[in-house]
Amino acid sequence: MAGSLRALLGPAATAAAAAARRRALVPSPPRPFLGARACSAGALFQYLAVQKTGARQSVGLIRLNRPQALNALCEGLMEELRRALDTLESDPQVGAIVITGSEKAFAAGADIKEMQNKTFQQCYSGGFLAGWDKVSTVRKPIIAAVNGYALGGGCELAMMCDIIYAGEKAQFGQPEILLGTIPGAGGTQRLTRAVGKSLAMEMVLTGDRISAAEAKEAGLVSKVFPVDKLLDAAIACAEKIANNSKLVAAMAKESVNAAFETTLAEGTRTEKRLFYATFATDDRKEGMTAFVEKRKANFTDS
């Protein structure tokens, strides 16, 4: 078919084919992610931009895209985020996910205008913010690439991810006390586990922010990068994760989370159970065989 089209179009097609071959030598940019309904990301989402990227298109990239509100986390954005995560979770090509915002703001918090007039009855009976936990239940590893403001719900969203990389100008904070309320999407719990009681208490009770450097020193983020290098670094880390066994990566994530959420005794029981379970996978056999044979492993489990 391609040959017959070139014959019909003549020399122009030949030149175009040569140009295409030259372009093939250049790494392809991230391509729009096509969801279950085979629509472009723009048609699927109003508040997000979603792509697959990486040399093997093995990284799902979700960009919060509500710039006029500094990526404030409205209900529509969070519903779209849940939908995007569901689609990436079910895609066998994707091995890890990166969530990012803009250089100015990862997310400046929950949408205060949506919350302003809510009553206790509405919050309690409607399970307000309950759906936000979706981020923390995804089995594939998620990296938050944080530039600019990560405040209130934005800080909570970043902490729901498995790894946080920060741009050098990032700021983290839980300023809900300044609005007459407290964090409601895990801020008092995850922040305390990440940075310890004293610093978490200071941040929650004063509303003060900490810098990227302070966040790294406290253990909230793992690495800090120049602003323009952050996203590339996060994608590179996600690609490295995606090159490993997707099945075993999910087991490793579950085991580390057990250390974060349970007692030492319960955590070590979980670790042992999952360690034994890897011996039922083809990837464990392939990985150890490749090591013995001094070659690169070819993981296939998904």
Side-chain angles (χ1 to χ4, degrees), residues 75-301:
E75 292 180 4
L77 186 152
M78 294 307 294
E79 189 281 326
E80 289 186 0
L81 181 58
R82 290 191 292 273
R83 184 151 45 89
L85 289 170
D86 279 337
T87 309
L88 293 170
E89 178 89 297
S90 63
D91 188 332
Q93 188 179 19
V94 172
I97 299 167
V98 174
I99 299 178
T100 192
S102 66
E103 288 191 3
K104 189 171 184 179
F106 175 73
D111 193 315
I112 304 303
K113 291 181 180 179
E114 283 189 347
M115 293 192 291
Q116 182 180 1
N117 296 317
K118 284 187 178 292
T119 65
F120 166 77
Q121 290 87 345
Q122 288 173 325
C123 291
Y124 189 84
S125 61
F128 184 48
L129 302 185
W132 287 34
D133 288 340
K134 171 64 184 178
V135 181
S136 63
T137 63
V138 173
R139 299 181 73 182
K140 292 179 179 178
I142 303 178
I143 301 171
V146 178
N147 266 323
Y149 302 118
L151 307 177
C155 187
E156 290 171 314
L157 175 60
M159 292 190 293
M160 291 179 199
C161 300
D162 303 303
I163 298 169
I164 303 177
Y165 278 7
E168 57 192 0
K169 295 182 180 180
Q171 296 182 40
F172 298 85
Q174 298 290 163
E176 289 86 351
I177 193 78
L178 305 178
L179 303 176
T181 186
I182 69 171
T188 62
Q189 304 304 299
R190 291 189 175 92
L191 185 64
T192 304
R193 286 165 169 78
V195 305
K197 177 184 175 181
S198 181
L199 180 55
M201 194 72 81
E202 180 183 10
M203 291 173 67
V204 169
L205 293 181
T206 65
D208 288 348
R209 308 170 188 174
I210 61 173
S211 67
E214 291 169 325
K216 183 179 186 302
E217 183 180 359
L220 181 60
V221 307
S222 57
K223 292 181 181 177
V224 177
F225 298 90
V227 170
D228 61 345
K229 303 295 184 184
L230 171 67
L231 186 56
D232 287 342
I235 291 172
C237 179
E239 280 194 278
K240 186 180 294 186
I241 292 170
N243 286 336
N244 296 320
S245 165
K246 297 177 180 63
L247 179 61
V248 176
M251 292 179 176
K253 173 175 173 173
E254 181 181 347
S255 190
V256 173
N257 279 334
F260 195 67
E261 297 168 356
T262 66
T263 65
L264 176 60
E266 182 60 32
T268 54
R269 281 194 292 270
T270 298
E271 179 188 71
K272 199 73 70 185
R273 172 178 57 81
L274 290 166
F275 170 67
Y276 293 156
T278 66
F279 282 76
T281 69
D282 292 336
D283 279 351
R284 193 280 316 167
K285 182 177 181 180
E286 164 63 13
M288 291 189 176
T289 301
F291 177 84
V292 171
E293 295 178 354
K294 295 181 172 58
R295 59 174 175 82
K296 182 177 175 61
N298 180 27
F299 296 122
T300 58
D301 281 337

